[in-house]
Amino acid sequence: MRTVYDVQQLLKKFGTFIYIGDRLAELELMEQEIQELYQSQCMTQDDYQMAILILRSEITVLTDKQKGRLRK
């Protein structure tokens, strides 16, 4: 797993499709779904850790971009 797309494909295996139209909200919702799946013991610790790392990294990138736009 390397990208947000890979995380989406993982969620898809569990029947979870997330599309809201707001990228940041989608990423946060994906993170919550991943946490619930892990707590339910539906995924391995390695998959959980990698998925959370990818999502939080992307969330950070998006929030930094949004902050940059607000400053200009």
Side-chain angles (χ1 to χ4, degrees):
M1 205 174 341
R2 295 183 190 180
T3 65
V4 174
Y5 178 77
D6 295 332
V7 175
Q8 289 174 319
Q9 295 308 304
L10 177 64
L11 287 170
K12 197 169 158 182
K13 290 179 185 177
F14 295 101
T16 303
F17 298 85
I18 298 174
Y19 179 75
I20 300 172
D22 177 1
R23 182 71 169 164
L24 185 57
E26 289 172 358
L27 294 169
E28 291 170 347
L29 187 54
M30 281 188 248
E31 184 177 341
Q32 290 174 358
E33 287 294 323
I34 292 291
Q35 289 174 349
E36 287 183 29
L37 287 167
Y38 179 68
Q39 289 172 355
S40 300
Q41 299 177 345
C42 294
M43 67 172 44
T44 65
Q45 184 176 4
D46 289 340
D47 284 343
Y48 168 75
Q49 288 175 339
M50 186 55 72
I52 292 295
L53 179 68
I54 291 166
L55 292 172
R56 289 186 180 165
S57 173
E58 188 68 19
I59 288 169
T60 301
V61 168
L62 280 178
T63 54
D64 287 349
K65 282 183 182 178
Q66 288 176 353
K67 287 178 185 176
R69 287 184 189 151
L70 294 175
R71 289 182 192 158
K72 292 180 181 179

